[in-house]
Amino acid sequence: MSLSLIANWKLNGSKEFNHHWALEFFRNFNGNNYSSIGIAPASLYIDHLKAVLADHDIMVGSQNIDMEQTGARTGEISASMIKDLGCAFSIVGHSERRILFHETNHMICQKLIQANNNSLIPILCIGESADENQRNNTYKVLEEQIIEALGNANELSSLIIAYEPVWAIGSGKTPNPEEINSVHEMIKDVVQSRFPKIDLESVLYGGSVNLKNASYLFEQKNIDGALIGGASLDGREFALIANVLKEQSV
Ligand code: PGA
């Protein structure tokens, strides 16, 4: 089973947090397939978190990477540095990066290439705004995002896509599970038909996933897992969601 449940801790965390989270997670997780679980802490804490997770092979990744390998780019972190720390994946093109840091599909494409060149699995985030959703433009917007982001990155050796409607992130609102399922089906079709050389491992859903809605989401055929923000900060809740996913995938 590939990476199917990813915690996005965003701008949260500390060494103390890492210890507490791990304690709560291991106390409550009842599976043994750690490698299907990923955590993306702030990059500064990757090393510490890996030490805290010790011999459990939970995957650790970054929330972002730079579009260049090296250079005069103060404050940036490259894919090769993330790989050097032992990471397995990087989130790329999260809507907060698109909106707050003005990341374009062109920049996202460069980042996907950097991830691929450094053997990191890219978790490409796509999603429509509330306005685009209300105007029934969801499919069109997602297709554009996929085609532009993968345009020059059409030979990625691995790829995971996370469908995250912007209006669902941190809002407590989600589309209904059947709607998400259809969107995921469309995403798989677009990648397969337009980019046949890309091995799309899975399509995750992100946006207000929690313990209450997890089982409704995971019972959908095309929802392969989740990218979780808020609810992933609680090691216990994240472990319980991982248990739900494990039970529904057997
Ligand atoms: P959320 O965030 O689970 O807090 O809605 C998801 C994300 O931004 O990846």
Side-chain angles (χ1 to χ4, degrees), residues 14-145:
S14 64
K15 291 192 212 171
E16 171 60 28
F17 175 90
N18 287 345
H19 283 293
H20 182 70
W21 190 95
L23 200 74
E24 288 295 314
F25 178 83
F26 291 120
R27 210 178 258 164
N28 291 284
F29 180 53
N30 63 19
N32 50 17
N33 185 1
Y34 293 104
S35 61
S36 63
I37 294 170
I39 306 175
S43 296
L44 199 60
Y45 288 108
I46 288 172
D47 238 3
H48 182 263
L49 179 66
K50 282 187 75 74
V52 168
L53 298 172
D55 354 312
H56 300 281
D57 54 353
I58 291 183
M59 303 290 162
V60 176
S62 66
Q63 300 171 11
N64 179 38
I65 45 171
D66 191 35
M67 55 191 272
E68 303 289 345
Q69 178 83 3
T70 54
R73 301 178 63 78
T74 304
E76 289 303 296
I77 296 175
S78 71
S80 65
M81 293 169 184
I82 294 300
K83 185 69 187 177
D84 197 25
L85 290 184
C87 284
F89 70 92
S90 178
I91 299 172
V92 173
H94 189 282
S95 63
E96 285 152 16
R97 301 235 29 113
R98 292 176 189 255
I99 296 164
L100 301 172
F101 302 99
H102 313 294
E103 279 189 16
T104 62
N105 287 323
H106 169 72
M107 291 158 77
I108 289 164
C109 181
Q110 296 303 113
K111 292 181 182 212
L112 293 174
I113 294 170
Q114 285 295 331
N116 192 57
N117 289 348
N118 290 281
S119 309
L120 293 171
I121 303 169
I123 318 296
L124 167 64
C125 299
I126 58 172
E128 83 286 2
S129 67
D131 185 54
E132 289 160 345
N133 184 277
Q134 273 149 23
R135 289 169 196 262
N136 280 329
N137 279 339
T138 299
Y139 280 51
K140 182 171 159 280
V141 168
L142 296 177
E143 198 166 342
E144 265 169 28
Q145 289 176 348

Side-chain angles (χ1 to χ4, degrees), residues 2 73 122 133 139 147 187-188 215-216 224 226 234:
S2 71
R73 301 178 63 78
N133 184 277
Y139 280 51
I147 291 171
I187 292 171
K188 290 176 184 180
S215 67
Y216 301 109
D224 303 317
D234 179 338

Side-chain angles (χ1 to χ4, degrees), residues 6 8 10 91 94-96 125 164 168-172 206-210 227-232:
I6 301 177
N8 174 10
K10 308 192 181 185
I91 299 172
H94 189 282
S95 63
E96 285 152 16
C125 299
E164 300 204 307
I169 295 177
S171 64
S208 297
V209 176
N210 55 36
L227 175 58
I228 308 183
S232 77

